[in-house]
Amino acid sequence: MTSPTPTRTTVSMLTLSTFVVGSMIGAGVFSLPGTFAAETGVSGSLIAWAVAGAGMFLLALVFQRLAASRPDLDAGVYSYARSGFGRYLGFLSAFGYWASACAGNVFYWVFIMSTLGVVVPAFAPALGAGDTPLAVAVSSAGLWTFFVLVRRGTR
């Protein structure tokens, strides 16, 4: 009798893509109307959602056109800026993208921890407003888990 060989669980391209799309949608399209709704009501929120959604769609079209016209550039925003404007502005583009991604990740995790503190009252003292040592540790573990998943790539 042979023992079954263990199988390796991998993350599919679809799963990794949904991580990226989910964070972009969550950061852009859905948080803006919530902020506007507090100040302007439903009509302002709908207008903000339409403007943000149209902007995201147009940005996607820009990157689609860039990818079709320059398939040799495969390093994302950095490569397009470097090709069009030189190394210095390419670096600034990559640095700005990196800085905004870092700030966005901090915001997501503070928001997640503070929401958990409200939704699950037992966690409220430990998580606070997302700025307690436990919230920072859980957020850090979540970020590193996400990094490992992306770093492994798809197989």
Side-chain angles (χ1 to χ4, degrees):
M1 177 173 196
T2 62
S3 63
T5 58
T7 59
R8 244 179 111 183
T9 304
T10 60
V11 178
S12 70
M13 178 66 113
L14 177 63
T15 303
L16 288 175
S17 298
T18 57
F19 284 156
V20 172
V21 171
S23 67
M24 288 190 311
I25 290 173
V29 175
F30 292 118
S31 63
L32 181 62
T35 304
F36 276 36
E39 300 294 326
T40 65
V42 175
S43 60
S45 181
L46 290 174
I47 291 169
W49 191 73
V51 169
M56 295 292 256
F57 179 68
L58 292 173
L59 183 61
L61 290 178
V62 165
F63 280 114
Q64 183 223 5
R65 183 169 289 198
L66 284 170
S69 65
R70 293 292 306 267
D72 58 310
L73 301 176
D74 60 357
V77 173
Y78 165 74
S79 63
Y80 297 126
R82 181 179 176 183
S83 175
F85 305 109
R87 293 182 62 164
Y88 180 66
L89 290 178
F91 167 78
L92 289 179
S93 171
F95 180 76
Y97 183 79
W98 171 81
S100 67
C102 288
N105 282 323
V106 168
F107 169 77
Y108 296 147
W109 283 100
V110 168
F111 184 69
I112 289 168
M113 292 298 112
S114 63
T115 301
L116 276 175
V118 171
V119 172
V120 183
F123 292 158
L127 297 178
D131 58 354
T132 63
L134 178 64
V136 171
V138 171
S139 299
S140 181
L143 280 171
W144 281 108
T145 301
F146 184 72
F147 167 76
V148 167
L149 287 174
V150 171
R151 182 76 176 134
R152 284 184 53 204
T154 59
R155 289 171 179 70

